[in-house]
Amino acid sequence: MKILNSKKAILKIIGILFALISILVCVPQIDGLLTRDYAQISECVVLNDAWDITINEDTYQNVSLSDFRFPVVKKGDVITMQRVLPSNWGLVEGAMRFYVRHNAVRMYIDDAVVYEYGQDRLAAGLTLGSGYQFVKFPNEYQGKRLRIELVMAEDNVITKLDPVRIYEWENAYRVLVTEGRLPMFCGSFLIIFGLIVSVITIVALCFTTKYVRLFCIALFAVCMGLWSLTYYNTMQIFAIPLYMISLLNYLSFYLAPIPMVVYIHAEVVNLKSKPLMVFYLIYLAVDIAAVLVVLALHICNIVHLAGVLKYMQGIMFCGLLFILLVLLVNLKYAKLEKRLPVLGLLIFIGCAAYDMINYNNERYFGGQHSNVSGVASSGIMIFICIIFVSFYIEMTQKMMEQKERDILIKSAYTDELTQLHNRRYCMEYMNKLKEERSFKYTVICFDLNNLKFVNDTYGHAKGDVLIRSAAEVIAETFESLGVVARVGGDEFTAVIGTAEEEKLASLMEQFQQNIDRKNRAVKDLNMSIAYGYASGSQSDSDIEKVYQIADDRMYEKKKQMKLGSVSL
């Protein structure tokens, strides 16, 4: 058994390695197809320099957006940025791309409004969202004065402005997809994987609870997939409004820790530490309550989801530390499948910390935007894959252990020669019948004639053939109606769920026909079986007495058969 299990484990490892190698080979090829014309489609006019910027009452002239930093702005603050557009940008049909960060926008060309975003939502106190805006920019705008007015809808939103770019209209979204290809791939994979596994596990949970952790992994994957697509702006290719994308971004981000905390419940229980369990329950309650509270505040337009980001980040950070602590403490008891999640979590924490530091540095301290995109989504995907592999290994080992237990239990209750139930199983089954109410049954006792003669004359191998043949005939006739067991060397018992005389008579007739057919099929078998039966029910008789009556009738039948053979 151990050798067989080792071979299966080796085959699984080979399969996983083959899949990983295939991914490593295929992904660069697919990435090359996406980026082969990136140099051509990404050609653009970068409006980075020569801006005059006014923040409330403060004015800054001839500034470069990549270097310009200012104190963090508050809700209601107004930023005006203006400059003269190039006299010739060499594009057939231009599209301006600029980044909105929770602010309403009004754009002017020579004091004429050419574009607006978010004015109505700002007036209503609704969230505006963050992301790229694409505005058609025809060649007739060349050489004219561009003015952009930004009105902040949230506190502590930005300390810097993003460069404005003008692309060919047909290339604007292609550039967005190409630049965000890694988070788009990771996010799409996580959502599809999570949804498929969720549907499967929901069905499985109707029958067993052992797949709760897999369900948690699936929910976490869906949340992180949505977060990746929204955070890295790749969902914008579907023309979804920015405020909706922003809502999905914050919701998925805030909800993601809950399934992960539920996932580690088994590890917390395994540690058998009351303080850790108390902290676990408190944290889970606080996390769920925090999500419900911020949702209520957002719905009531009191505080939007974006306004509580730093507080939710603090709660998540505490959760990550707690999860890491639990997994690390479990390491000294853990096998490989328990150690893998720690590695995955460390990778995820490192990648998430990288993006989180960059995000907060850019949002609150005016740091430069990182050119590396999709780090957190890559870490999430690696983490999800490692957790899934760990869960798969764990479940496979549990199934193998269960199978070994089932084999041991079966061997304890199975007769080795005939593969019927043995005497122990038959006795336990009859004891269970005592607990039934109004259950009618029949006990049939069998005795194989002439077994000793066959063993002494032709050897035990011939006797074993006779025993197996008798077992096959008895099982063929009675096993579908109840339990059939070998209770001795040449003795068998059947307990069936009927007490109707007509049906019993028909069964006995069929039994004799099966014996005759077996004797014709097996040369020189000459099988003969004596039997006796008695019926009863829990309400009017004791099964031990019924069994004794059936056994006595079987011996009477055996005597009659013996006398009949002697007289012949």
Side-chain angles (χ1 to χ4, degrees):
M1 181 64 70
K2 290 183 178 179
I3 295 175
L4 183 61
N5 292 341
S6 298
K7 288 182 178 178
K8 289 182 178 179
I10 292 172
L11 289 174
K12 288 174 183 176
I13 292 172
I14 292 174
I16 293 172
L17 289 175
F18 177 77
L20 291 175
I21 292 172
S22 300
I23 292 172
L24 291 175
V25 171
C26 294
V27 168
Q29 300 297 323
I30 297 172
D31 187 68
L33 293 174
L34 291 173
T35 59
R36 63 183 179 181
D37 58 350
Y38 178 70
Q40 289 76 31
I41 66 173
S42 61
E43 291 181 356
C44 62
V45 177
V46 181
L47 304 181
N48 187 52
D49 301 321
W51 286 93
D52 294 334
I53 297 175
T54 300
I55 303 176
N56 295 326
E57 303 299 328
D58 300 323
T59 300
Y60 308 86
Q61 294 182 334
N62 196 29
V63 299
S64 170
L65 296 182
S66 59
D67 301 324
F68 181 58
R69 301 293 181 271
F70 49 86
V72 64
V73 292
K74 303 293 183 181
K75 182 177 180 180
D77 286 352
V78 179
I79 299 177
T80 302
M81 46 192 301
Q82 52 188 324
R83 60 157 290 171
V84 176
L85 292 171
S87 58
N88 183 13
W89 50 56
L91 302 176
V92 176
E93 186 178 10
M96 175 186 280
R97 187 183 88 173
F98 66 102
Y99 202 84
V100 172
R101 297 179 186 272
H102 301 287
N103 48 256
V105 179
R106 183 175 280 119
M107 187 180 300
Y108 300 83
I109 295 293
D110 284 348
D111 297 325
V113 178
V114 295
Y115 179 78
E116 286 185 323
Y117 168 75
Q119 305 296 334
D120 53 343
R121 295 186 64 84
L122 180 65
L126 301 176
T127 184
L128 297 179
S130 297
Y132 288 112
Q133 291 281 24
F134 293 90
V135 182
K136 283 190 175 182
F137 232 62
N139 289 339
E140 62 188 56
Y141 291 172
Q142 293 176 153
K144 296 183 179 181
R145 190 163 192 83
L146 168 66
R147 186 169 89 250
I148 303 174
E149 292 181 357
L150 308 175
V151 182
M152 301 300 111
E154 304 289 345
D155 289 330
N156 303 323
V157 176
I158 54 174
T159 59
K160 64 182 289 294
L161 297 169
D162 297 275
V164 179
R165 291 183 171 90
I166 303 176
Y167 292 91
E168 286 281 5
W169 179 259
E170 63 179 10
N171 295 332
Y173 282 97
R174 291 182 62 192
V175 172
L176 182 64
V177 172
T178 305
E179 291 176 346
R181 63 192 181 278
L182 179 59
M184 183 174 66
F185 169 75
C186 294
S188 301
F189 171 83
L190 290 172
I191 290 175
I192 294 171
F193 165 83
L195 289 176
I196 292 174
V197 175
S198 294
V199 172
I200 294 173
T201 50
I202 286 173
V203 176
L205 286 172
C206 296
F207 305 96
T208 176
T209 59
K210 66 182 180 181
Y211 293 106
V212 170
R213 302 186 76 200
L214 185 58
F215 184 61
C216 291
I217 295 173
L219 291 181
F220 182 73
V222 172
C223 289
M224 289 291 93
L226 279 173
W227 178 82
S228 295
L229 292 181
T230 54
Y231 178 76
Y232 294 104
N233 304 302
T234 53
M235 191 173 280
Q236 288 188 239
I237 63 175
F238 302 110
I240 300 174
L242 285 187
Y243 61 85
M244 185 59 66
I245 293 177
S246 183
L247 179 63
L248 289 173
N249 174 260
Y250 288 110
L251 274 179
S252 58
F253 188 58
Y254 295 164
L255 288 172
I258 297 176
M260 277 308 301
V261 174
V262 176
Y263 174 84
I264 67 158
H265 177 263
E267 275 73 18
V268 178
V269 172
N270 186 56
L271 293 176
K272 298 178 181 179
S273 171
K274 189 174 181 180
L276 278 179
M277 179 55 73
V278 171
F279 183 84
Y280 170 84
L281 295 174
I282 292 174
Y283 178 80
L284 181 60
V286 168
D287 198 6
I288 295 174
V291 172
L292 294 175
V293 168
V294 298
L295 277 175
L297 293 174
H298 179 86
I299 293 171
C300 297
N301 277 327
I302 299 174
V303 178
H304 294 153
L305 295 179
V308 295
L309 177 62
K310 60 183 178 182
Y311 305 108
M312 295 302 294
Q313 284 181 337
I315 294 174
M316 292 177 200
F317 181 73
C318 293
L320 279 176
L321 289 181
F322 177 70
I323 292 172
L324 184 60
L325 172 65
V326 170
L327 293 177
L328 287 174
V329 174
N330 267 287
L331 277 182
K332 59 181 180 181
Y333 312 108
K335 298 179 182 178
L336 174 64
E337 69 274 9
K338 297 291 186 181
R339 296 175 183 269
L340 285 175
V342 178
L343 173 62
L345 186 61
L346 289 173
I347 294 173
F348 168 59
I349 290 175
C351 294
Y354 176 86
D355 266 10
M356 190 176 293
I357 291 171
N358 281 328
Y359 174 81
N360 286 283
N361 181 46
E362 182 183 6
R363 177 169 177 175
Y364 300 114
F365 304 104
Q368 188 66 35
H369 180 72
S370 173
N371 292 324
V372 182
S373 177
V375 174
S377 63
S378 302
I380 292 164
M381 188 169 174
I382 294 170
F383 180 44
I384 292 291
C385 290
I386 288 177
I387 288 181
F388 184 74
V389 169
S390 172
F391 179 83
Y392 173 77
I393 295 173
E394 182 181 355
M395 290 300 298
T396 302
Q397 289 185 347
K398 286 182 178 180
M399 291 173 67
M400 292 170 62
E401 291 170 0
Q402 183 63 44
K403 188 174 182 180
E404 290 178 359
R405 284 195 294 268
D406 292 342
I407 291 173
L408 291 174
I409 292 171
K410 183 179 179 181
S411 64
Y413 288 104
T414 303
D415 176 66
E416 184 176 357
L417 178 61
T418 64
Q419 294 302 301
L420 296 178
H421 295 300
N422 58 16
R423 184 181 186 87
R424 179 188 293 124
Y425 184 91
C426 186
M427 294 299 105
E428 290 186 8
Y429 181 77
M430 288 194 293
N431 287 332
K432 289 180 181 178
L433 287 182
K434 294 180 182 180
E435 302 174 2
E436 299 288 340
R437 294 291 181 266
S438 302
F439 177 80
K440 294 183 179 181
Y441 59 88
T442 296
V443 178
I444 311 171
C445 295
F446 306 90
D447 188 276
L448 180 59
N449 296 322
N450 303 320
L451 178 63
K452 185 175 184 306
F453 174 77
V454 171
N455 283 334
D456 293 343
T457 305
Y458 303 104
H460 285 276
K462 183 69 172 179
D464 289 347
V465 172
L466 188 61
I467 292 171
R468 283 195 292 267
S469 298
E472 290 170 3
V473 169
I474 296 170
E476 179 185 0
T477 310
F478 302 101
E479 194 170 40
S480 62
L481 301 173
V483 170
V484 175
R486 183 188 180 198
V487 295
D490 55 2
E491 296 180 358
F492 299 84
T493 298
V495 183
I496 61 177
T498 182
E500 299 178 13
E501 283 297 332
E502 292 183 2
K503 189 170 185 178
L504 290 172
S506 176
L507 283 170
M508 295 310 166
E509 183 178 348
Q510 183 64 46
F511 176 55
Q512 188 59 54
Q513 292 174 2
N514 291 341
I515 292 175
D516 295 340
R517 187 171 65 254
K518 179 65 75 172
N519 282 331
R520 291 193 297 271
V522 181
K523 185 179 179 181
D524 298 326
L525 184 62
N526 299 320
M527 180 171 58
S528 172
I529 302 174
Y531 63 84
Y533 63 86
S535 302
S537 67
Q538 197 279 339
S539 59
D540 61 7
S541 57
D542 185 9
I543 195 168
E544 283 88 356
K545 292 181 180 179
V546 175
Y547 177 84
Q548 189 60 53
I549 293 171
D551 194 54
D552 292 342
R553 290 176 179 173
M554 180 270 294
Y555 276 109
E556 288 294 328
K557 180 76 171 178
K558 190 175 182 70
K559 288 179 183 178
Q560 294 174 11
M561 295 176 73
K562 187 174 182 181
L563 289 173
S565 63
V566 170
S567 62
L568 290 173

